[in-house]
Every structure is written in structure tokens, then in C-alpha cells.
Amino acid sequence: QFQLVESGGGLVQPGGSLRLSCAASGYTLDYYAIGWFRQVPGKEREGVSCISSSGGSTNYADSVKGRFTISRDNAKNTVYLQMNSLKPEDTAVYYCAAETAFGSWHSLDEDEYDYWGQGTQVTVSS
């Protein structure tokens, strides 16, 4: 059974950093594009970043460009989201999602993804 598990969330002060991990089990991530999404209660889920199966193509929401970096280590079956210069408005539950994909495909559209983790809470507050 294909499962995604996020970790690395927590409480951090504004300007601080966190690194989220999305670990897969059941299948290798080699043939999956991965997206990171976040959701605040009462709001729609927002695409944050995504990466192609090879890692050669990435994309970011405008709100996180220059602050967040997505990467993947297929040998460890894990995708990371390094979050720097965190702001209170980054507070949300962060989810990773996977979709079978080849080549450079990647997407910030949540409807494109079939497999989802359970989420990890990120709180940015002083």
C-alpha cells in the first residue's frame, strides 16, 4: 500500500526555518511527481511547491519564492521542503501529495494528485 508520511512541522518564530519531509512507503518515488500543499482552516488548500519525478523541474507559489526550496532524494524515498524566512502567514497544515508522472511533469493543482499524506502542522509565531 502506497503511503506518504509528512514530518518536520512544529512551532517556529518569524524569520526561522523548518525542513519538512515527505517519506513514501510501499512504492518507490522514482516515478512520482510530488507536490507540497498547505491549508488554513476555513480556506482552500493552496499549492506551495512541486517537483518532477527526476527532480529536474520545480515550481513555487509566488508567496514562497525565494524562501522555500523543494528537493528530493529518491534513494531515501523522500522529498523535502526547506522553509526559510518563515512568516506568520505561512502557518498552516502542510500536506505532500504524489502522482505517477514521467519526465518533467509537475503541478501545483491539487486535483492532479491521487495520493496524499496526513499533514503536518507548521505554526509561525512569536
Side-chain angles (χ1 to χ4, degrees):
Q1 183 179 0
F2 188 29
Q3 287 189 321
L4 299 171
V5 178
E6 302 94 336
S7 62
L11 173 64
V12 63
Q13 292 187 342
S17 298
L18 284 174
R19 188 177 79 158
L20 304 184
S21 298
C22 173
S25 62
Y27 290 91
T28 176
L29 277 182
D30 290 11
Y31 305 114
Y32 290 85
I34 302 295
W36 280 99
F37 299 83
R38 64 187 181 187
Q39 189 168 26
V40 176
K43 293 189 176 181
E44 292 186 354
R45 191 151 49 187
E46 172 191 18
V48 175
S49 183
C50 55
I51 188 167
S52 61
S53 57
S54 67
S57 299
T58 60
N59 196 13
Y60 299 89
D62 289 342
S63 58
V64 306
K65 278 181 182 176
R67 300 188 298 122
F68 290 12
T69 303
I70 191 170
S71 63
R72 63 191 300 154
D73 186 341
N74 284 356
K76 294 184 178 180
N77 234 24
T78 303
V79 174
Y80 304 98
L81 185 67
Q82 178 67 44
M83 306 187 297
N84 299 328
S85 303
L86 283 162
K87 304 175 181 180
E89 50 264 43
D90 294 318
T91 296
V93 177
Y94 283 71
Y95 301 89
C96 66
E99 179 60 27
T100 306
F102 300 92
S104 61
W105 186 89
H106 56 298
S107 174
L108 287 175
D109 182 353
E110 63 174 314
D111 292 333
E112 300 280 4
Y113 292 86
D114 286 333
Y115 305 98
W116 291 82
Q118 82 291 345
T120 185
Q121 176 70 46
V122 171
T123 302
V124 185
S125 175
S126 54

